[in-house]
Amino acid sequence: TVLGNMSDAQLTAVFPADHFGENRSTLHALLHLQAHLSYHLGQLNYLRRLVAMPVPPASAWLRTRPASPTGPR
């Protein structure tokens, strides 16, 4: 793997792109990237499950009555 082939010196070296004006190590940048991509993967999984939900037929909407404004009797 790429990380397995990187030396400790490479991982602790300052990452070339600064993060809000702060210097971070290459290891920190890689861990941040992994966490960020995992977050978006969770978002995609949520959307996948949402799209796959079955939609009830229109007749199910017609059978339900709205709640009474005065409450149950």
Side-chain angles (χ1 to χ4, degrees):
T1 65
V2 172
L3 286 177
N5 293 331
M6 293 182 78
S7 68
D8 288 343
Q10 289 174 311
L11 291 173
T12 57
V14 175
F15 192 70
D18 66 352
H19 187 259
F20 296 108
E22 296 182 24
N23 292 328
R24 306 283 181 171
S25 70
T26 300
L27 179 61
H28 182 273
L30 291 172
L31 290 175
H32 179 80
L33 178 63
Q34 187 271 331
H36 183 79
L37 294 176
S38 295
Y39 178 81
H40 288 304
L41 183 61
Q43 289 178 317
L44 288 171
N45 192 35
Y46 176 79
L47 290 172
R48 179 191 57 82
R49 287 183 287 140
L50 186 64
V51 169
M53 291 178 81
V55 177
S59 60
W61 295 98
L62 297 175
R63 284 188 298 227
T64 58
R65 287 196 232 168
S68 170
T70 58
R73 294 183 180 200

